[in-house]
Amino acid sequence: MSYQDHIIEMSQLIKSKNGTWDGVTPEAVARMRLQNRFKTGLEIAKFTADIMRKDMAAYDADPSDYTQSLGCWHGFIAQQQLISIKNHFGSTRGRYIYLSGWMVAALRSEFGPLPDQSMHEKTSVPALIEEIYTFLKQADARELGLLFRDLDAARKAGDAAREAELVETIDNYETHVVPIIADIDAGFGNAEATYLLAKKMIEAGACAIQIENQVSDEKQCGHQDGKVTVPHEDFIQKLRAVRYAFLELGVDNGIIVARTDSLGAGLTKQIAYSQEPGDLGDQYNAFLDCEEVSPGQLRAGDVVIGRGGKLLRPKRLPSNLFQFKPGSGEDRVVLDCITSLQNGADILWIETERPDVEQIAGMVDRIRAVIPNAKLAYNNSPSFNWTLKFREKVYDLWAKEGKDVSAYQRDRLMSVDYDATPLGIEADNRIRSFQADAAKRAGIFHHLITLPTYHTAALSTDNLSKEYFGEQGMLGYVLKVQREEVRQGIACVKHQNMSGSDIGDDHKEYFAGEAALKASGAQNTMNQFA
């Protein structure tokens, strides 16, 4: 409904109450309605799922039309990200939020900081989704509130053209509410546990759920050692569980991001169930590192499998885990991805050990030979040393091409001395174009950074602490924070406004009229930042 339609509807409703509601102003109600567009998390999930589906179709038509997100560990961080995006780019299109299980574990658990091993409370994940959307909706309310104040000023000044322009802006307002891709880890248990948690996440507003093929009780961060995967049928059951959760709640367009950790996982906890040669279980078992044995060579407690008339003993560790063949990672990734897409997944996630477009593309080419529109979400991980890896890449390429690299020492490539050199500049240019290159060549629809705001919070706090507690004192804060906020137009410089003080004042005026005791008067020190 348009702004004017809301006013008309409320005017009619209030009039129908025979004077008992005359203290309620129709335009105030219209404003409050527009400032609270989304009433439930399910409304958000349906709205944002449609956004993602449109973006996925746009990417299929043009790979340069990829999407991006940053991981956020608090609603305020997500809010500031979206305010910044709207401020600098005028639209939120193609920009999402990533909710990282790593950051939930490290920053949002009641146990305190935890490693990314699914030890944190599962309820903390939907709680963070709900928190993020609370802050994004508040960003809408704040920005619309500013437009309403401008509208009142235009009316007071008798500027009809400005008034019409503002009403049009309000009617075409773009929300800060964008899709969240939410990390459910390995499901926090069996398929039923996955389904129950997925429901909570969707009810909180998640339109896209990312799930990985690790064993729930052995789950590790994708960039750590010791990862253990499950047979495909176990993972498929969890994919179905997530889909059932979406469908039960009426989010028919919900997105499942199926992540494979097989490239860095050399272990499995189970031998897959197989009924006949060549079935999915048999294909999984074919990757096991085995030795041929005869019946007379069997030891107590041995596990053996039959293949091609031979008796094979998989290599089993003291941890009771079974080992995959060395070098089988990429083949397992390809099978994982094809199987996931054939069983309801929408987007793939291949966790790699380095940011290498051709490595990713080599696997995606094989996947797309079977499923042509396969597309990925890719972790532009802070676990990669981007500077070092890209400088090494350039160094090795130049050396191979016969270029003179004598000015550089390969074991010193992180040195600041190389920042302004041709090698350093070329490496930075490749980092700059990595996302566009990977979107075009390697099928990456969505680029995300899992933990960026964890690192920015640490860096900015370190810089402030160094200055403020040092010789600069208060000037350390003023120079590094407040003055930059003013000059860069950061909305948070008016922190009272950002926290909702002006919205509260508007409500006080709606409720009490001229008797309202408002905070935004002449004595409010925030006026220094007008």
Side-chain angles (χ1 to χ4, degrees):
M1 293 173 64
S2 71
Y3 184 50
Q4 194 60 38
D5 286 341
H6 278 294
I7 295 173
I8 292 170
E9 184 184 87
M10 282 300 101
S11 296
Q12 293 170 345
L13 177 61
I14 291 168
K15 186 177 181 180
S16 73
K17 299 303 177 180
N18 301 317
T20 59
W21 285 14
D22 285 357
V24 176
T25 306
E27 188 165 15
V29 178
R31 292 181 176 188
M32 293 174 78
R33 280 186 164 190
L34 291 173
Q35 287 175 302
N36 186 27
R37 172 178 174 181
F38 301 99
K39 309 302 186 292
T40 68
L42 284 178
E43 289 183 17
I44 291 173
K46 293 174 183 178
F47 172 75
T48 53
D50 287 343
I51 290 174
M52 276 196 73
R53 292 289 177 180
K54 290 176 183 176
D55 288 347
M56 290 161 67
Y59 173 79
D60 287 340
D62 180 3
S64 68
D65 207 359
Y66 60 91
T67 58
Q68 299 168 293
S69 67
L70 296 174
C72 297
W73 56 273
H74 193 280
F76 175 74
I77 300 296
Q79 179 196 66
Q80 294 307 301
Q81 175 188 313
L82 267 296
I83 288 174
S84 174
I85 288 168
K86 285 194 72 177
N87 180 41
H88 292 294
F89 305 105
S91 172
T92 62
R93 185 184 178 278
R95 279 87 177 199
Y96 306 162
I97 290 168
Y98 180 66
L99 189 151
S100 161
W102 193 102
M103 285 205 287
V104 172
L107 299 170
R108 301 304 300 260
S109 172
E110 292 185 8
F111 293 103
L114 293 173
D116 184 19
Q117 296 172 359
S118 290
M119 294 188 291
H120 55 282
E121 309 86 350
K122 62 175 70 176
T123 53
S124 59
V125 182
L128 179 54
I129 296 169
E130 182 177 8
E131 175 183 292
I132 287 173
Y133 281 128
T134 296
F135 273 80
L136 295 186
K137 289 190 293 181
Q138 194 259 7
D140 283 355
R142 171 190 166 272
E143 191 169 56
L144 282 164
L146 295 174
L147 289 172
F148 297 148
R149 286 166 183 253
D150 289 343
L151 180 61
D152 291 340
R155 285 175 178 168
K156 187 175 181 180
D159 190 340
R162 175 62 175 158
E163 180 181 350
E165 177 189 340
L166 285 164
V167 169
E168 183 179 3
T169 300
I170 291 165
D171 284 343
N172 293 287
Y173 180 78
E174 183 185 61
T175 178
H176 292 85
V177 170
V178 298
I180 288 178
I181 297 177
D183 185 1
I184 199 172
D185 281 15
F188 285 84
N190 60 16
E192 175 70 5
T194 301
Y195 153 78
L196 292 171
L197 179 54
K199 277 183 61 177
K200 287 294 185 184
M201 293 168 68
I202 297 162
E203 288 169 341
C207 73
I209 292 179
Q210 169 226 323
I211 185 166
E212 60 205 53
N213 69 334
Q214 290 192 48
V215 178
S216 287
D217 59 356
E218 302 283 357
K219 185 259 185 316
Q220 295 277 12
C221 172
H223 291 282
Q224 292 184 316
D225 204 355
K227 294 184 290 295
V228 184
T229 62
V230 297
H232 295 98
E233 184 52 44
D234 293 45
F235 190 57
I236 290 169
Q237 291 173 17
K238 292 185 178 183
L239 295 178
R240 291 194 198 110
V242 175
R243 182 61 66 201
Y244 271 109
F246 274 125
L247 296 175
E248 177 185 336
L249 296 171
V251 186
D252 299 346
N253 255 356
I255 291 98
I256 298 176
V257 181
R259 170 174 144 180
T260 171
D261 281 283
S262 290
L263 194 62
L267 303 169
T268 182
K269 196 167 188 175
Q270 298 167 264
I271 294 175
Y273 175 69
S274 174
Q275 292 183 293
E276 58 185 47
D279 66 12
L280 197 53
D282 187 51
Q283 292 179 67
Y284 186 82
N285 293 338
F287 292 118
L288 293 171
D289 193 2
C290 301
E291 57 181 345
E292 185 178 351
V293 294
S294 64
Q297 295 175 305
L298 294 179
R299 303 182 297 246
D302 269 353
V303 173
V304 293
I305 58 176
R307 180 176 298 121
K310 297 179 180 179
L311 199 60
L312 302 175
R313 179 167 57 204
K315 292 184 179 178
R316 186 163 56 163
L317 305 179
S319 59
N320 206 30
L321 299 172
F322 297 94
Q323 188 170 301
F324 286 117
K325 295 174 184 175
S328 65
E330 290 199 6
D331 291 338
R332 285 183 280 125
V333 164
V334 171
L335 181 59
D336 293 344
C337 291
I338 292 171
T339 301
S340 293
L341 292 174
Q342 289 173 336
N343 287 276
D346 301 291
I347 298 173
L348 303 170
W349 173 318
I350 300 174
E351 193 78 314
T352 67
E353 79 286 1
R354 64 185 189 277
D356 188 316
V357 172
E358 287 306 315
Q359 179 197 31
I360 304 163
M363 292 180 279
V364 171
D365 287 346
R366 295 170 63 188
I367 297 163
R368 284 185 161 180
V370 179
I371 303 174
N373 70 336
K375 59 184 71 68
L376 277 66
Y378 185 70
N379 178 8
N380 292 227
S381 177
S383 293
F384 303 144
N385 187 331
W386 287 76
T387 301
L388 178 63
K389 287 301 161 188
F390 275 81
R391 287 182 181 182
E392 287 178 346
K393 184 188 291 287
V394 172
Y395 181 95
D396 293 342
L397 178 63
W398 284 4
K400 184 178 180 181
E401 292 174 347
K403 291 187 178 181
D404 183 9
V405 291
S406 60
Y408 310 99
Q409 294 176 260
R410 198 177 187 280
D411 61 357
R412 291 190 64 248
L413 289 177
M414 275 297 293
S415 173
V416 67
D417 297 340
Y418 296 152
D419 285 1
T421 65
L423 185 146
I425 293 169
E426 173 63 16
D428 283 353
N429 286 336
R430 287 171 180 250
I431 294 171
R432 181 180 297 109
S433 68
F434 173 82
Q435 294 189 341
D437 295 342
K440 181 179 180 180
R441 172 71 184 92
I444 296 178
F445 155 73
H446 185 74
H447 282 281
L448 61 98
I449 309 178
T450 43
L451 322 176
T453 54
Y454 176 90
H455 292 279
T456 54
L459 180 61
S460 62
T461 302
D462 177 84
N463 289 337
L464 174 60
S465 299
K466 178 176 60 178
E467 300 293 333
Y468 176 75
F469 292 106
E471 294 181 1
Q472 294 280 51
M474 190 56 196
L475 184 60
Y477 172 79
V478 173
L479 280 177
K480 299 293 185 178
V481 182
Q482 190 178 81
R483 193 174 295 174
E484 290 303 311
E485 285 181 306
V486 172
R487 291 176 176 175
Q488 295 182 40
I490 304 300
C492 268
V493 73
K494 293 187 177 183
H495 50 257
Q496 306 286 15
N497 167 268
M498 184 57 63
S499 71
S501 179
D502 290 344
I503 295 172
D505 274 0
D506 292 339
H507 293 169
K508 291 174 185 177
E509 191 167 10
Y510 300 160
F511 306 154
E514 293 183 358
L517 183 63
K518 298 193 290 185
S520 55
Q523 299 304 312
N524 189 327
T525 58
M526 285 289 99
N527 295 330
Q528 297 172 22
F529 299 98

Coordinates of all heavy atoms in Angstrom, one line a residue, residues 282-315:
D282 N 28.5 -47.6 -2.9 CA 29.7 -48.2 -3.5 C 30.7 -47.2 -4.0 O 31.9 -47.3 -3.8 CB 29.3 -49.2 -4.6 CG 30.5 -50.0 -5.1 OD1 31.2 -50.6 -4.3 OD2 30.7 -50.0 -6.3
Q283 N 30.2 -46.1 -4.6 CA 31.1 -45.0 -5.1 C 31.8 -44.4 -3.9 O 33.0 -44.0 -4.1 CB 30.3 -44.0 -5.9 CG 29.7 -44.5 -7.2 CD 28.9 -43.4 -7.9 OE1 29.5 -42.4 -8.3 NE2 27.6 -43.6 -8.0
Y284 N 31.1 -44.2 -2.8 CA 31.8 -43.6 -1.7 C 32.8 -44.5 -1.1 O 34.0 -44.1 -0.8 CB 30.7 -43.3 -0.6 CG 31.2 -42.6 0.6 CD1 31.3 -41.2 0.6 CD2 31.5 -43.2 1.8 CE1 31.7 -40.5 1.8 CE2 31.9 -42.5 3.0 CZ 32.0 -41.2 2.9 OH 32.4 -40.5 4.0
N285 N 32.5 -45.8 -1.0 CA 33.5 -46.7 -0.5 C 34.7 -46.9 -1.4 O 35.8 -47.3 -0.9 CB 32.8 -48.1 -0.2 CG 31.7 -48.0 0.9 OD1 31.8 -47.1 1.7 ND2 30.8 -48.9 0.8
A286 N 34.5 -46.7 -2.7 CA 35.6 -46.8 -3.6 C 36.8 -45.9 -3.3 O 37.9 -46.1 -3.8 CB 35.1 -46.6 -5.0
F287 N 36.5 -44.8 -2.6 CA 37.5 -43.8 -2.2 C 38.3 -44.3 -1.0 O 39.3 -43.6 -0.6 CB 36.9 -42.5 -2.0 CG 36.4 -41.8 -3.2 CD1 35.0 -41.5 -3.3 CD2 37.2 -41.5 -4.3 CE1 34.5 -40.9 -4.4 CE2 36.7 -40.9 -5.4 CZ 35.3 -40.6 -5.5
L288 N 37.9 -45.3 -0.3 CA 38.6 -45.7 0.9 C 39.9 -46.3 0.6 O 40.1 -47.0 -0.4 CB 37.8 -46.8 1.6 CG 36.4 -46.4 2.2 CD1 35.6 -47.6 2.7 CD2 36.7 -45.4 3.4
D289 N 40.9 -46.0 1.4 CA 42.3 -46.5 1.3 C 42.3 -47.9 1.8 O 42.2 -48.1 3.0 CB 43.2 -45.6 2.0 CG 44.7 -45.9 1.7 OD1 44.9 -46.7 0.8 OD2 45.6 -45.2 2.3
C290 N 42.4 -48.9 0.9 CA 42.2 -50.3 1.3 C 43.5 -51.1 0.9 O 44.2 -50.7 0.0 CB 41.0 -50.9 0.7 SG 39.5 -50.1 1.1
E291 N 43.6 -52.3 1.5 CA 44.6 -53.2 1.1 C 43.9 -54.6 0.9 O 43.0 -54.9 1.6 CB 45.7 -53.4 2.1 CG 45.2 -53.8 3.5 CD 46.4 -53.9 4.5 OE1 47.5 -53.9 4.1 OE2 46.1 -53.9 5.7
E292 N 44.3 -55.3 -0.1 CA 43.7 -56.6 -0.4 C 44.2 -57.6 0.6 O 45.4 -57.7 0.9 CB 44.1 -57.0 -1.8 CG 43.3 -58.3 -2.2 CD 43.6 -58.7 -3.7 OE1 44.3 -58.0 -4.4 OE2 43.3 -59.9 -4.0
V293 N 43.3 -58.4 1.1 CA 43.7 -59.5 2.1 C 43.0 -60.8 1.7 O 42.0 -60.8 0.9 CB 43.2 -59.0 3.5 CG1 44.0 -57.8 4.0 CG2 41.8 -58.8 3.6
S294 N 43.5 -61.8 2.3 CA 42.9 -63.2 2.1 C 42.2 -63.5 3.4 O 42.6 -62.9 4.5 CB 43.9 -64.2 1.8 OG 44.9 -64.3 2.8
P295 N 41.3 -64.4 3.5 CA 40.7 -64.8 4.7 C 41.6 -65.2 5.9 O 41.4 -64.9 7.0 CB 39.8 -66.0 4.4 CG 39.5 -65.8 2.9 CD 40.7 -65.2 2.3
G296 N 42.8 -65.8 5.5 CA 43.7 -66.2 6.5 C 44.5 -65.0 7.1 O 45.1 -65.2 8.1
Q297 N 44.4 -63.8 6.5 CA 45.1 -62.6 7.0 C 44.3 -61.8 7.9 O 44.7 -60.8 8.4 CB 45.6 -61.8 5.8 CG 46.6 -62.5 4.9 CD 47.0 -61.6 3.7 OE1 46.1 -61.2 3.0 NE2 48.3 -61.3 3.6
L298 N 43.0 -62.2 8.1 CA 42.1 -61.3 8.9 C 42.5 -61.4 10.4 O 42.9 -62.4 10.9 CB 40.7 -61.8 8.7 CG 40.1 -61.6 7.3 CD1 38.7 -62.1 7.3 CD2 40.1 -60.1 6.9
R299 N 42.4 -60.2 11.0 CA 42.7 -60.1 12.4 C 41.4 -59.8 13.2 O 40.4 -59.4 12.6 CB 43.7 -58.9 12.7 CG 45.0 -59.0 11.9 CD 45.9 -57.8 12.2 NE 45.3 -56.5 11.8 CZ 45.8 -55.8 10.8 NH1 46.8 -56.1 10.1 NH2 45.2 -54.6 10.5
A300 N 41.5 -60.0 14.5 CA 40.3 -59.8 15.3 C 39.9 -58.3 15.2 O 40.7 -57.4 15.3 CB 40.6 -60.1 16.8
G301 N 38.6 -58.1 14.9 CA 38.0 -56.8 14.8 C 38.2 -56.2 13.5 O 37.8 -55.0 13.3
D302 N 38.7 -56.9 12.5 CA 38.9 -56.3 11.2 C 37.5 -56.0 10.5 O 36.6 -56.8 10.7 CB 39.7 -57.2 10.3 CG 41.2 -57.0 10.3 OD1 41.6 -56.0 10.9 OD2 41.9 -57.8 9.7
V303 N 37.5 -55.0 9.8 CA 36.3 -54.7 8.9 C 36.8 -54.8 7.5 O 37.8 -54.3 7.1 CB 35.8 -53.2 9.1 CG1 34.7 -52.9 8.1 CG2 35.3 -53.1 10.5
V304 N 36.0 -55.6 6.7 CA 36.4 -55.8 5.3 C 35.2 -55.6 4.4 O 34.1 -55.6 4.8 CB 36.9 -57.3 5.1 CG1 38.2 -57.5 5.8 CG2 35.9 -58.3 5.5
I305 N 35.5 -55.2 3.2 CA 34.5 -55.0 2.1 C 34.9 -55.8 0.9 O 36.1 -56.1 0.7 CB 34.3 -53.6 1.8 CG1 35.6 -52.9 1.3 CG2 33.8 -52.8 3.0 CD1 35.5 -51.5 0.8
G306 N 33.9 -56.2 0.1 CA 34.1 -56.9 -1.1 C 34.0 -56.0 -2.3 O 33.1 -55.2 -2.4
R307 N 34.9 -56.2 -3.3 CA 34.8 -55.4 -4.5 C 35.5 -56.2 -5.6 O 36.6 -56.5 -5.5 CB 35.4 -54.0 -4.4 CG 35.3 -53.2 -5.7 CD 35.8 -51.8 -5.5 NE 35.0 -51.0 -4.6 CZ 35.5 -50.5 -3.5 NH1 36.8 -50.6 -3.2 NH2 34.8 -49.8 -2.6
G308 N 34.7 -56.4 -6.7 CA 35.3 -57.1 -7.8 C 35.8 -58.5 -7.5 O 36.8 -58.9 -8.1
G309 N 35.2 -59.2 -6.6 CA 35.6 -60.5 -6.2 C 36.8 -60.5 -5.3 O 37.3 -61.6 -5.0
K310 N 37.2 -59.4 -4.8 CA 38.4 -59.3 -3.9 C 37.9 -58.9 -2.5 O 36.9 -58.2 -2.3 CB 39.4 -58.2 -4.4 CG 40.0 -58.6 -5.8 CD 41.0 -57.5 -6.2 CE 41.6 -57.9 -7.6 NZ 42.6 -56.8 -8.0
L311 N 38.7 -59.3 -1.5 CA 38.4 -58.9 -0.2 C 39.4 -57.8 0.2 O 40.6 -57.9 0.1 CB 38.7 -60.1 0.7 CG 38.0 -60.1 2.1 CD1 36.5 -60.0 2.1 CD2 38.5 -61.4 2.9
L312 N 38.8 -56.6 0.6 CA 39.6 -55.4 0.9 C 39.4 -55.0 2.4 O 38.3 -55.0 2.9 CB 39.2 -54.3 0.0 CG 39.3 -54.6 -1.5 CD1 38.8 -53.4 -2.3 CD2 40.7 -54.8 -1.9
R313 N 40.5 -54.6 3.0 CA 40.5 -54.1 4.3 C 40.8 -52.6 4.4 O 41.9 -52.2 4.1 CB 41.5 -54.9 5.2 CG 41.6 -54.4 6.7 CD 42.4 -55.4 7.5 NE 43.7 -55.6 7.0 CZ 44.5 -56.7 7.3 NH1 44.0 -57.6 8.0 NH2 45.7 -56.8 6.8
P314 N 39.8 -51.8 4.7 CA 40.0 -50.4 4.7 C 41.0 -50.0 5.9 O 40.9 -50.7 6.9 CB 38.6 -49.8 5.0 CG 37.7 -50.9 4.6 CD 38.4 -52.1 4.9
K315 N 41.8 -49.0 5.7 CA 42.7 -48.6 6.7 C 41.9 -47.9 7.8 O 41.3 -46.9 7.5 CB 43.8 -47.7 6.1 CG 44.7 -48.4 5.2 CD 45.9 -47.5 4.7 CE 46.8 -48.3 3.8 NZ 47.9 -47.5 3.3

